[in-house]
């Protein structure tokens, strides 16, 4: 009788004693007196700085020095000029200078300019015997100046035929190999000239090309040609 009464009371228990499906999962299996005492303290979050990259790259890349002509190319045909001892204009072609020969050609931005007159040409004059001993047949300097200026420059340098001084007065050869140097923004009025370079050609084919940035003089001297012969 007592057991039957107990079961009846349980079945008649108020709905407030039933478990709610909306209750937090943490309280499903814990007594209310225990779950009410639970608490937590949030841990502070530390700020970690993003590590600095180990490699740094410059956004301004230095442009490569290049020209139309390159090692392995055949030199374009062109006609250069000079004044002979009598003051008459003479011409010579690139093929005459280089065909079946080992030729060294170098260019300067202008006759009478300081680096060209004091270093570049004198260096090739000084080393001309060594270059020819290494098998060089022709050493020629090319400048975008008229033949009359070239003759006066040669006389001022007091040189003989160790180095041929040749005029590319209209800049035809200089443009053909892509070595123009635009100095028209300079107050001295140089206009468009040639970049400084030196090259070694065998039977008209470029074997070595030392092209400078503008008028700089760092790698186009006689010593630089001697190193590769």
């Amino acid at each position: 009788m007592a057991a039957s009464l107990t079961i009846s009371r349980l079945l008649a228990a108020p709905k407030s004693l039933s478990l709610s499906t909306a209750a937090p999962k943490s309280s499903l299996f814990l007594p209310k007196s225990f779950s009410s005492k639970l608490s937590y303290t949030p841990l502070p979050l530390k700020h970690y700085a993003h590590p600095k990259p180990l490699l740094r790259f410059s956004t301004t890349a230095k442009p490569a020095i290049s020209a139309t002509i390159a090692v392995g190319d055949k030199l374009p045909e062109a006609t250069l000029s000079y004044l002979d001892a009598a003051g008459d204009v003479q011409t010579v072609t690139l093929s005459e200078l280089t065909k079946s020969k080992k030729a060294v050609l170098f260019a300067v931005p202008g006759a009478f300019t300081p680096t060209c007159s004091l270093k570049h040409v004198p260096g090739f004059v000084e080393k001309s015997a060594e270059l020819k001993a290494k098998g060089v047949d022709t050493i020629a300097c090319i400048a975008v100046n008229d033949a009359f200026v070239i003759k006066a420059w040669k006389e001022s340098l007091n040189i003989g035929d160790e180095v041929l001084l040749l005029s590319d007065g209209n800049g035809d050869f200089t443009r053909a190999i892509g070595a123009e140097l635009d100095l028209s923004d300079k107050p001295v009025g140089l206009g468009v000239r040639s970049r400084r370079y030196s090259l070694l050609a065998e039977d008209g084919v470029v074997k070595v090309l030392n092209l400078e940035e503008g008028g700089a003089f760092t790698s186009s001297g006689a010593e630089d040609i001697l190193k590769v012969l």
Side-chain angles (χ1 to χ4, degrees):
M1 182 70 177
S4 177
L5 180 61
T6 302
I7 293 172
S8 299
R9 287 178 178 177
L10 288 174
L11 293 175
K15 293 182 179 180
S16 59
L17 294 178
S18 63
L19 295 175
S20 171
T21 58
K25 292 182 179 180
S26 60
S27 63
L28 288 178
F29 303 103
L30 296 175
K32 182 183 293 185
S33 61
F34 181 77
S35 62
S36 63
K37 295 179 181 180
L38 294 177
S39 62
Y40 73 95
T41 303
L43 296 175
L45 296 177
K46 293 183 179 181
H47 176 71
Y48 292 96
H50 192 279
K52 294 183 179 179
L54 298 178
L55 299 177
R56 296 182 180 181
F57 298 93
S58 173
T59 57
T60 55
K62 188 177 180 180
I65 304 174
S66 62
T68 303
I69 199 73
V71 172
D73 291 347
K74 183 83 172 177
L75 288 170
E77 185 62 293
T79 300
L80 306 172
S81 63
Y82 63 97
L83 295 181
D84 62 18
D88 295 326
V89 177
Q90 303 294 332
T91 61
V92 61
T93 64
L94 257 294
S95 59
E96 290 172 336
L97 289 172
T98 62
K99 187 175 180 180
S100 301
K101 297 176 183 177
K102 185 178 287 187
V104 171
L105 307 179
F106 68 99
V108 296
F112 292 103
T113 54
T115 301
C116 309
S117 300
L118 300 176
K119 296 180 180 180
H120 208 178
V121 173
F124 276 97
V125 172
E126 180 184 346
K127 299 295 182 181
S128 60
E130 292 181 51
L131 289 166
K132 290 180 179 179
K134 295 280 189 178
V136 174
D137 301 292
T138 303
I139 307 171
C141 173
I142 301 170
V144 182
N145 292 102
D146 64 72
F148 298 96
V149 169
I150 294 296
K151 184 177 187 297
W153 187 37
K154 180 179 178 180
E155 292 172 351
S156 73
L157 293 172
N158 193 29
I159 63 175
D161 295 327
E162 303 95 337
V163 174
L164 301 176
L165 299 186
L166 302 174
S167 166
D168 181 28
N170 295 323
D172 295 336
F173 176 69
T174 300
R175 283 191 299 273
I177 65 171
E180 308 101 304
L181 177 63
D182 189 355
L183 298 174
S184 57
D185 61 332
K186 306 300 180 184
V188 291
L190 292 174
V192 178
R193 298 297 183 92
S194 173
R195 289 162 65 180
R196 193 185 306 280
Y197 64 83
S198 64
L199 65 84
L200 172 67
E202 294 182 14
D203 196 22
V205 177
V206 179
K207 299 298 182 180
V208 176
L209 176 61
N210 300 320
L211 185 65
E212 303 272 14
E213 182 64 59
F217 182 50
T218 60
S219 62
S220 60
E223 290 284 359
D224 298 292
I225 295 293
L226 278 170
K227 290 176 184 178
V228 299
L229 289 173

